[in-house]
Amino acid sequence: MPKNLHTQLLTLSLLVLSRLASAALPAAVEGQPLPSLAPMLEGVTPAVVNVNSKTLERVRNPLAEDPFFRQFFGLGNLPQERIKQSLGSGVIVDAAAGLVLTNNHVIDGADELSVTLSDGRTLAGEFVGADPDTDIALIRIPAEQLTAVPLAATSSALRVGDFVVAVGNPFGLGQTVTSGIVSALGRSGLQGLGYQNFIQTDASINPGNSGGALVNLRGELVGINTAIFSPSGGNVGIGFAIPTPLAKEVMRQLLAFGEVRRGSLGIQTQDVTPELAELLGLGTRRGAVVTRVQADSPAAAAGLKAGDVIVKLDSKQVIDGQSLHNQEGLLPVDEAVSLVALREGREVRLSAVLKARLRALKGKDLDARLAGARFVELPEQLRQRGGQGVAIEEIEAGSRAAANGLRPGDVITAVNRRDVGDLEALNQRMQAPPEQLVLTVVRGRRAVLALIE
């Protein structure tokens, strides 16, 4: 190639590249502005905060147990302590009251809470309440020039395919925005989580996003980001958020009662097996077979009977006994719910008003031999793994329960070899205290029979 032609081509190329480099992205195409999430996010991001929790932990120091090191290095017998920090996200949902929603696992056991706003201010956080079974926690910060994100209206039904945006603090990097769509609704059955009714999304959610906001394109809060499904620990496009209506109901109860009061139909069930389906002449293998209806329960008042197969609760499909239990725990107390059951080959429709479940039982109210023990329900995570029974939360020192060898953490699974599934069942078993009381106690990985005297 002639030298002068090469020079001309090089000059022309540089000229074209310089023009391209200086060309700005057009603000509009054919008179239509280019789409952008920026205007919506300007109203959302000030309401999404970073949550920092600090927990004081006692740790074992092997050197402090050695007499030589204790003597020559002055370690003494004092316990060693360290501060454990956890970073997560939160959403301001009430600017006037300074209320911030986050995940329970972000602040669980924290001795100190602080909240950093998008404008750089760091404020002390006050713990209001938490519900481990839905992984929702509520904290309060000083209501000083705060911005809240509006909650999506119940009428704004979320659909699979709707665009959503996640805002949070992944890996402690600072406020980060990702976008995606709603991949599925009503997800449940995830290991290690309590009552479940998740929004699934492919918007990137990573460690640190927990407690952050999932918003629609109107800038309304549709969910609280809480978990991911990942074999590697990083985002693979499967994230989960707690729907706003559920988070709102949990917040209402935490403010009103300091706890969440869950409803119960007052029944015991089992899954529909192929054998049961054939025996009962069912055209489906889905549903929960009622095996027992407690007296004076909402189910009894509604007319539910043993042998009925519940296939829908409040218009939602009942897959098995666990899904029924999950749905019960997500419904508000003292409100009517609809039931669809199969009875002798025909469909019956019933209505019931859920009553609050027992939260705890004192041993002295059951039997004098159990005085000093406090019984509570098993955590929902254990029930999802097949756990049955009631747990002993505490034992008073010097009490009769303590003298009988019962310990905090014990799980009672049977009374006189009759299974005890929950507090209601324990209460029923002890209505007529037996002359000889034998408890089946699970302690660690061992099950023992304990004669209570």
Side-chain angles (χ1 to χ4, degrees):
M1 180 185 296
K3 185 176 181 180
N4 59 344
L5 180 59
H6 183 275
T7 303
Q8 291 174 4
L9 288 173
L10 180 61
T11 302
L12 181 61
S13 298
L14 290 173
L15 181 61
V16 171
L17 288 172
S18 66
R19 291 283 180 88
L20 290 173
S22 61
L25 190 68
V29 175
E30 297 181 353
Q32 298 296 319
L34 291 178
S36 173
L37 298 175
M40 176 272 286
L41 289 169
E42 288 175 359
V44 170
T45 52
V48 181
V49 302
N50 296 344
V51 177
N52 183 4
S53 66
K54 294 182 180 180
T55 306
L56 190 64
E57 292 185 333
R58 292 191 174 187
V59 295
R60 176 177 168 269
N61 185 351
L63 295 180
E65 298 175 4
D66 189 295
F68 174 82
F69 282 94
R70 283 207 306 268
Q71 180 179 354
F72 289 96
F73 292 94
L75 295 177
N77 293 316
L78 295 177
Q80 305 297 302
E81 296 178 339
R82 68 180 177 189
I83 294 177
K84 178 184 176 182
Q85 294 196 54
S86 174
L87 292 174
S89 306
V91 187
I92 301 173
V93 292
D94 189 328
L99 296 178
V100 178
L101 279 175
T102 185
N103 285 144
N104 176 67
H105 75 259
V106 170
I107 58 94
D108 188 27
D111 297 304
E112 182 180 329
L113 292 170
S114 61
V115 172
T116 301
L117 309 184
S118 61
D119 61 13
R121 288 182 291 159
T122 297
L123 306 173
E126 173 196 353
F127 176 78
V128 176
D131 179 38
D133 284 334
T134 53
D135 200 21
I136 287 289
L138 184 65
I139 58 181
R140 183 182 284 111
I141 58 176
E144 301 171 358
Q145 299 178 336
L146 302 179
T147 299
V149 63
L151 306 184
T154 306
S155 58
S156 303
L158 202 60
R159 300 171 300 168
V160 173
D162 283 351
F163 287 100
V164 286
V165 178
V167 187
N169 177 31
F171 300 107
L173 292 173
Q175 196 170 84
T176 302
V177 176
T178 57
S179 66
I181 63 168
V182 174
S183 306
L185 295 169
R187 282 292 194 224
S188 61
L190 305 180
Q191 290 293 327
L193 298 172
Y195 293 102
Q196 302 175 28
N197 179 30
F198 291 119
I199 302 166
Q200 182 183 327
T201 178
D202 65 350
S204 289
I205 296 174
N206 286 290
N209 271 107
S210 294
L214 190 71
V215 299
N216 59 24
L217 295 188
R218 291 186 293 273
E220 300 167 333
L221 186 72
V222 297
I224 301 293
N225 301 323
T226 189
I228 60 173
F229 178 84
S230 170
S232 63
N235 178 266
V236 294
I238 304 177
F240 302 96
I242 300 163
T244 291
L246 175 56
K248 185 178 178 181
E249 172 61 18
V250 170
M251 179 175 71
R252 182 191 70 79
Q253 293 204 42
L254 291 177
L255 287 171
F257 314 119
E259 62 181 10
V260 175
R261 299 176 178 178
R262 292 198 159 82
S264 172
L265 288 167
I267 58 176
Q268 293 179 6
T269 66
Q270 69 179 83
D271 297 345
V272 176
T273 63
E275 294 78 15
L276 270 177
E278 184 177 352
L279 179 66
L280 298 174
L282 303 177
T284 178
R285 294 184 181 180
R286 292 188 169 188
V289 182
V290 178
T291 57
R292 180 172 174 269
V293 178
Q294 295 172 4
D296 301 322
S297 65
L304 205 61
K305 300 178 180 179
D308 288 350
V309 181
I310 301 174
V311 293
K312 280 188 181 180
L313 176 61
D314 223 29
S315 302
K316 292 184 179 179
Q317 188 79 34
V318 173
I319 307 300
D320 50 26
Q322 179 58 48
S323 77
L324 175 64
H325 178 71
N326 184 62
Q327 290 178 39
E328 275 184 294
L330 296 172
L331 293 171
V333 177
D334 297 331
E335 289 189 15
V337 297
S338 61
L339 285 162
V340 178
L342 301 178
R343 178 183 297 167
E344 298 177 353
R346 62 187 180 87
E347 187 177 275
V348 293
R349 295 180 178 272
L350 306 169
S351 179
V353 177
L354 298 185
K355 289 184 180 178
R357 291 178 183 167
L358 283 173
R359 300 282 302 179
L361 285 171
K362 292 182 178 179
K364 66 178 182 180
D365 295 332
L366 297 172
D367 190 291
R369 291 167 286 188
L370 298 173
R374 175 181 166 85
F375 300 93
V376 295
E377 294 282 19
L378 290 183
E380 186 59 23
Q381 293 90 333
L382 288 181
R383 290 199 178 279
Q384 287 189 359
R385 296 199 292 269
Q388 294 290 320
V390 298
I392 297 181
E393 185 180 55
E394 60 184 45
I395 296 284
E396 294 177 10
S399 66
R400 194 163 172 182
N404 275 308
L406 297 179
R407 303 177 188 173
D410 285 350
V411 175
I412 310 302
T413 60
V415 174
N416 288 352
R417 298 185 183 274
R418 297 176 66 194
D419 288 345
V420 170
D422 53 23
L423 286 176
E424 287 285 359
L426 176 63
N427 196 35
Q428 290 292 325
R429 294 279 185 270
M430 300 301 295
Q431 287 299 307
E435 183 177 341
Q436 186 178 61
L437 179 58
V438 178
L439 302 181
T440 303
V441 180
V442 176
R443 182 174 295 161
R445 297 186 177 182
R446 297 190 308 120
V448 297
L449 293 177
L451 177 61
I452 308 300
E453 299 176 329

